[in-house]
Amino acid sequence: MSTKQIDPSLIVNEDTHRQAILKRFHTPRPDWYEKLFALLLAKCLKAYEPEVAGYKAELFSRLRGRVNKVLELGIGTGPNLKYYAGDGDVHVYGVDPNKRMEKYATEAAVAAGLPRTNFNFIQMVGEALPVSDASMDAVIGTLVLCSVQDVNLALQEVKRVLKPGGLYIFIEHVAAQDRTALKFLQKLLDPLQQIVGDGCHLTRQTGKLISEAGFSDVDIKMASVSVCFLVKHHIYGIARK
């Protein structure tokens, strides 16, 4: 019996293509930066997560027992996994451009009760999700559209990979109201924030972009998060393909 060998050039070409996409949509960072950012994010979320726990419990209750394949866009350190990953035979595809997030996300998946074989971390960007059309029951994105380069393209990718009737669950910080002191401060600090926050923008009208992305149904609610004054204005909700 012969074993078919994989052409090494195919592997090289695929990796080269992936790296080209990463470079196009995510400014390359030194390894020390990615490692430090992942560490700081894990620490900062310890104060943030308790304040948004109620919103997340409300949103993720829609998934429990109803999904098999879930893609989490910008999975980061995996704080959402505990809300849905340990329920039934769920397979999670965690996408993030920062490869240093894999360690934290994998630990979070294990802590949530997700079998190791049911979790895949994929280093990639939201503008080119590495899964097939109409293959996901749900896509999750929390605090991620602030930092993708092309929000509209990322939202079209979310729609592409969702099955008909599939759910997109989101929580995002958004710009403050016009002609307020906070909006002025956000505009002033936005360039610096993009540097220290791995591409995070402070002034995006993300709710408007989601509403206009072409989902069949969108339910958006407003929230205020006191622990993060600069980005205290949040939206959260569910969109259906």
Side-chain angles (χ1 to χ4, degrees), residues 97-130:
N98 185 343
K99 62 182 180 296
R100 289 295 186 173
M101 297 294 184
E102 181 174 9
K103 168 181 175 291
Y104 297 95
T106 301
E107 290 174 352
V110 172
L114 188 69
R116 184 62 188 88
T117 53
N118 286 22
F119 179 71
N120 296 89
F121 180 93
I122 309 170
Q123 186 188 16
M124 187 46 73
V125 292
E127 294 91 341
L129 296 177

Side-chain angles (χ1 to χ4, degrees), residues 60 63-68 70 72 78-92 105-116 118-119 140:
F60 291 120
L63 299 186
R64 299 191 70 85
R66 304 174 187 175
V67 294
N68 176 249
V70 177
E72 183 151 355
N80 299 323
L81 289 164
K82 64 183 179 183
Y83 291 96
Y84 69 89
D87 185 45
D89 188 27
V90 179
H91 294 256
V92 179
T106 301
E107 290 174 352
V110 172
L114 188 69
R116 184 62 188 88
N118 286 22
F119 179 71
I140 295 166

Side-chain angles (χ1 to χ4, degrees), residues 217-233:
D217 181 64
V218 181
D219 179 21
I220 299 181
K221 298 178 182 178
M222 301 295 299
S224 180
V225 180
S226 62
V227 73
C228 305
F229 172 74
L230 192 59
V231 291
K232 70 176 184 177
H233 296 292

Side-chain angles (χ1 to χ4, degrees), residues 50-188:
E51 191 163 355
V52 297
Y55 306 127
K56 289 191 174 184
E58 175 187 341
L59 293 173
F60 291 120
S61 66
R62 296 284 298 274
L63 299 186
R64 299 191 70 85
R66 304 174 187 175
V67 294
N68 176 249
K69 291 186 176 182
V70 177
L71 184 145
E72 183 151 355
L73 171 62
I75 192 168
T77 58
N80 299 323
L81 289 164
K82 64 183 179 183
Y83 291 96
Y84 69 89
D87 185 45
D89 188 27
V90 179
H91 294 256
V92 179
Y93 301 82
V95 176
D96 202 289
N98 185 343
K99 62 182 180 296
R100 289 295 186 173
M101 297 294 184
E102 181 174 9
K103 168 181 175 291
Y104 297 95
T106 301
E107 290 174 352
V110 172
L114 188 69
R116 184 62 188 88
T117 53
N118 286 22
F119 179 71
N120 296 89
F121 180 93
I122 309 170
Q123 186 188 16
M124 187 46 73
V125 292
E127 294 91 341
L129 296 177
V131 296
S132 303
D133 296 359
S135 60
M136 296 290 124
D137 298 301
V139 173
I140 295 166
T142 62
L143 303 185
V144 60
L145 292 183
C146 60
S147 58
V148 300
Q149 186 181 114
D150 189 328
V151 180
N152 288 319
L153 180 55
L155 289 171
Q156 293 309 307
E157 278 291 278
V158 170
K159 286 172 52 187
R160 178 184 67 80
V161 306
L162 278 174
K163 296 177 181 178
L167 301 180
Y168 168 45
I169 291 179
F170 55 88
I171 301 177
E172 300 286 350
H173 67 77
V174 295
Q177 292 183 342
D178 291 338
R179 296 183 295 277
T180 62
L182 180 55
K183 183 64 174 288
F184 174 80
L185 186 60
Q186 287 177 337
K187 287 183 176 180
L188 183 66

